[in-house]
Amino acid sequence: MNRAQVMMFTDFPDDFQPLVQSIDTWFLSRKIGMLFEANVLNGKLMMTTLDLKGDPENRVVARQLYKSILDYMNSDDFRPVSRLETEVIGDLFTKIAPPVNTFTNDSPDELKPKQGDTGI
């Protein structure tokens, strides 16, 4: 999933859970993901940012995931739980995420020397 485009779900309902969720960094831990389903208006929506169709001859895993998603959507099991407003979906295309300031005057815990550690 490195370098994959993600969707930010911070403005979605608190109980919303994407099907494929990732963690951007351990210190930000924003709710982001790459695949979700929802009830929207009078229909069902499946949305992804994953490249599932590029170079299918050489990407068997992407090809299989695409087939599996389509099979799922064509089955009786495709029954999204969450209901979303169209504005929330539209924001995924238009809203710009706020800038993230990762500056700190301190070091992450895993980079701090341990008690009694000589650093050698």
Side-chain angles (χ1 to χ4, degrees), residues 63-73:
R63 191 174 66 228
Q64 180 59 48
L65 180 57
Y66 179 69
K67 181 190 179 313
S68 296
I69 290 170
L70 290 179
D71 289 348
Y72 167 66
M73 291 173 64

Side-chain angles (χ1 to χ4, degrees), residues 23-31 99-102:
I23 299 170
D24 49 1
T25 62
W26 62 268
F27 52 87
L28 291 177
S29 193
R30 296 176 293 185
K31 191 172 194 175
V100 176
N101 182 359
T102 58

Side-chain angles (χ1 to χ4, degrees), residues 82-99:
S82 298
R83 176 162 296 284
L84 297 174
E85 299 298 321
T86 56
E87 294 79 18
V88 175
I89 304 298
D91 284 348
L92 291 171
F93 296 96
T94 59
K95 194 170 184 182
I96 297 173

